[in-house]
Amino acid sequence: NASETTGVSSAGRYLSCRHIERGLAFWGSSVTACCGNTATGRRPRIAPFAGDISKEAIVEGRERIIPRHKVRDIVPECEGCAHLQENDWAYHMSPYLVDEVTAAHFTTCDIRCNYCYTVRCPELAAPLSRAPRILGTFQVLIAENLLAPSSTVRFSGGEPTLSPEFEQVLKLLIDHGVHCVVYSNGTTCSQAIMEGLARDKIELVLGVDAAILFAALLPILEPMGLQLEYQQGEGPVIHNPVREGRDLE
């Protein structure tokens, strides 16, 4: 049953989200439950990551979060997040340990967009030699029947196609039935992506250089009444942003 697979009691309704229940997000040297709290950006940590993570580590990480939520003691990383919902999560979730993954641990990139955290915070970027490998983790999750074939796996970074194991990882996941979303700058031709697109197993999201994005998307803001300025070395700045309802009055 679900509790045997996930290691978490299945009784009752409580505040949680699908990321806490079945998600993994790889960020540098850590595995978290999600990409970030919608209110604070904080991430509930599951386990450290140095190239592999065991079923036991995933279960133990969730056990530090879910039992507290069941007694309304929300962990600080999740407080105020819009994804939290009260539900009978054991009833609604799949029996697999994992069914949603974000692989954002690979921070190497071949272009420098001034909006990207790898440029704004260069200490967070890692050269190819320092990026943890993730192929072995996916091989174990699949071999031990822990990754749902209906999973969604998202690749970001950095530029994920530069990873020396990207082609192998993508083919492995596609062959398992996984739907993959790849965020890429489109500068590298990936045979695995081309094959995945032909099999309708890939969603490819192409991002272009910041200057093109700004020129194409931001001019519409000024006719809407927003005060837009392009600052040297900073990029576009909106001086009267809309953050709450009264800003529209």
Side-chain angles (χ1 to χ4, degrees):
N1 62 35
S3 61
E4 292 174 348
T5 303
T6 63
V8 174
S9 169
S10 61
R13 295 171 63 89
Y14 57 94
L15 285 171
S16 188
C17 72
R18 64 171 296 103
H19 307 292
I20 293 171
E21 299 293 325
R22 297 293 185 272
L24 294 178
F26 293 84
W27 298 89
S29 59
S30 295
V31 179
T32 60
C34 68
C35 296
N37 184 316
T38 58
T40 66
R42 299 181 68 181
R43 307 181 186 106
R45 192 168 185 263
I46 298 294
F49 181 64
D52 56 55
I53 183 171
S54 66
K55 170 186 175 181
E56 291 72 24
I58 298 171
V59 170
E60 288 174 10
R62 289 176 180 165
E63 283 281 10
R64 291 192 293 270
I65 303 170
I66 296 176
R68 288 181 59 176
H69 285 209
K70 288 186 174 182
V71 294
R72 299 275 177 176
D73 179 22
I74 306 302
V75 298
E77 297 86 348
C78 296
E79 288 180 352
C81 183
H83 290 304
L84 286 180
Q85 297 180 15
E86 184 168 324
N87 216 330
D88 183 348
W89 288 100
Y91 176 80
H92 288 284
M93 302 306 298
S94 79
Y96 290 89
L97 185 71
V98 179
D99 66 13
E100 185 166 333
V101 179
T102 296
H105 65 296
F106 187 80
T107 56
T108 301
C109 191
D110 54 350
I111 63 175
R112 293 177 59 79
C113 298
N114 61 8
Y115 59 81
C116 182
Y117 75 95
T118 63
V119 174
R120 291 179 175 272
C121 305
E123 69 276 8
L124 299 179
L128 286 169
S129 60
R130 285 174 46 202
R133 301 299 185 248
I134 203 169
L135 176 61
T137 295
F138 281 121
Q139 288 173 329
V140 170
L141 289 174
I142 291 172
E144 296 185 4
N145 200 32
L146 303 175
L147 181 69
S150 59
S151 295
T152 296
V153 176
R154 296 177 178 84
F155 292 90
S156 61
E159 172 52 43
T161 62
L162 295 178
S163 169
E165 60 177 6
F166 176 77
E167 300 285 301
Q168 289 177 275
V169 172
L170 199 62
K171 186 177 186 308
L172 173 73
L173 293 171
I174 290 172
D175 288 345
H176 186 56
V178 171
H179 175 72
C180 296
V181 182
V182 181
Y183 296 86
S184 173
N185 60 33
T187 60
T188 302
C189 181
S190 164
Q191 187 60 37
I193 287 179
M194 299 302 291
E195 294 175 1
L197 288 170
R199 295 169 60 180
D200 198 25
K201 282 293 184 180
I202 293 279
E203 181 180 344
L204 181 60
V205 182
L206 293 176
V208 292
D209 181 75
I212 300 173
L213 276 175
F214 296 160
L217 301 180
L218 295 184
I220 190 64
L221 298 181
E222 291 181 299
M224 295 170 60
L226 296 175
Q227 298 168 11
L228 176 65
E229 178 186 2
Y230 295 89
Q231 296 183 353
Q232 180 70 30
E234 182 67 20
V237 175
I238 299 174
H239 293 289
N240 57 337
V242 177
R243 293 195 174 99
E244 51 190 61
R246 63 184 179 184
D247 293 332
L248 298 173
E249 297 174 357

